[in-house]
Amino acid sequence: MTDSAQPPAFPLDSPPPDEAVRAADPVGAVAEAKERPDPPEPPEEIVRAARLAPGHWFGTVDPGWRGEGVPPDYAVAGRWRSDATGEIVEWQDNDAYLPSPQVLGWPEPTDPVDAALQRAVTGYGPAEDVAYALTDAEVAVLTLPDGSPVTATGSDGTPVVPVFTSSRYLNLVGALAFEHRAAIELLPQLPEEHRIYVNPPSPAGAVLETGPLAEMMALTKTARPRTEPDGTERVAAGDA
C-alpha cells in the first residue's frame, strides 16, 4: 500500500504554515486559490462600503478566520481601493495569504481530528491541536491476519501505519479488515521507526511522528491552552 503524494510530516512543533500547506497540497489547489490571473469581483458589501468611504482601502478576510479584532496577515486575501468618487478601482493581492479549508472547497470535517488537521495544514491552527484531538480519539487501523497493523511506505520512503478517524476515509480504501483502537494506546504498538498516517484519502491527510505526538498527548493533562476554530482558547481535556 503506497501513497501517491507525500503528505505533511508534522514534528508537532508548529511548522511554518506555508510549508505545511505546500506539503499538503501536491495537486496545487492552494496555489490555484492564491494565484488568480485576474482580480476577483468585489463583493457587494465592499462596493457599498466604498461608496460610503471614498479614497480608502478595504481588506477581504478569508471566511475561515473567525477570530476577533484585526485578522492576521495570512487570513487576508487582499484589499480593494476606492477612488474619490467611491468606486472600486484597484485590487491588491496579499502574498502572505493562506486560503482556508473553506476557500479551498474541502469537505466539512468529519470529526475533531479531521478539523484540527484541516486547520493545521492550511495554517489556521497549530499542529499541537492535532495531538490534543487524537488523545481521546478512536481510530480504525487496517490489520493483517495476525491482528497486527498494516504498514505502508510513503513516497519519500517513510514507513507508516495508516489510520482513519471516520468511515468517510476508511471506506475509500476498500473492504479491508480493520480494528478500532484508542489512538493513545496504538502508538506503543507501532513497529519501530514507523509513523502514523492519519486519514490518507483526506486533503488534510498527514504523517505524524510518534515520539513528539506521544509527548503532546501527555501535555493534554496539563493546563495548556487550546486554540478553537473561532480563535478563542480553552484549556485542554483533563484540565477542568
Side-chain angles (χ1 to χ4, degrees):
M1 181 176 181
T2 60
D3 57 305
S4 58
Q6 185 61 22
F10 283 155
L12 289 176
D13 58 358
S14 296
D18 56 341
E19 291 184 11
V21 169
R22 285 197 296 271
D25 184 51
V27 297
V30 172
E32 182 178 347
K34 294 182 68 174
E35 296 176 5
R36 303 181 180 90
D38 299 304
E41 287 294 323
E44 185 58 34
E45 60 268 24
I46 294 293
V47 173
R48 290 196 299 267
R51 291 170 182 165
L52 295 173
H56 283 75
W57 286 96
F58 303 89
T60 299
V61 180
D62 190 294
W65 186 78
R66 301 184 181 90
E68 297 181 358
V70 178
D73 284 347
Y74 68 79
V76 179
R79 59 180 186 167
W80 301 94
R81 182 175 67 85
S82 63
D83 63 12
T85 67
E87 294 296 317
I88 296 294
V89 294
E90 182 182 356
W91 164 260
Q92 187 177 86
D93 279 313
N94 174 22
D95 292 338
Y97 170 55
L98 298 175
S100 67
Q102 182 176 344
V103 168
L104 292 172
W106 289 0
E108 285 294 314
T110 57
D111 53 80
V113 176
D114 192 26
L117 279 172
Q118 288 197 15
R119 294 195 301 270
V121 301
T122 54
Y124 280 74
E128 289 94 332
D129 277 2
V130 179
Y132 293 147
L134 277 169
T135 300
D136 299 319
E138 189 175 73
V139 297
V141 186
L142 303 179
T143 56
L144 297 172
D146 63 359
S148 60
V150 168
T151 62
T153 304
S155 59
D156 67 346
T158 300
V160 299
V161 172
V163 301
F164 307 83
T165 62
S166 79
S167 58
R168 175 199 290 174
Y169 302 124
L170 176 63
N171 292 341
L172 291 175
V173 301
L176 301 176
F178 68 92
E179 293 180 1
H180 283 108
R181 300 181 187 178
I184 198 168
E185 296 175 359
L186 173 65
L187 296 185
Q189 303 171 6
L190 298 182
E192 188 175 356
E193 303 298 328
H194 280 62
R195 302 177 181 181
I196 63 169
Y197 187 173
V198 184
N199 295 335
S202 165
V207 172
L208 309 180
E209 295 184 28
T210 54
L213 177 59
E215 293 176 4
M216 286 293 179
M217 285 180 167
L219 286 175
T220 62
K221 303 301 180 182
T222 66
R224 184 165 183 172
R226 173 174 173 175
T227 305
E228 295 301 314
D230 62 359
T232 60
E233 292 185 345
R234 66 182 174 92
V235 294
D239 298 334

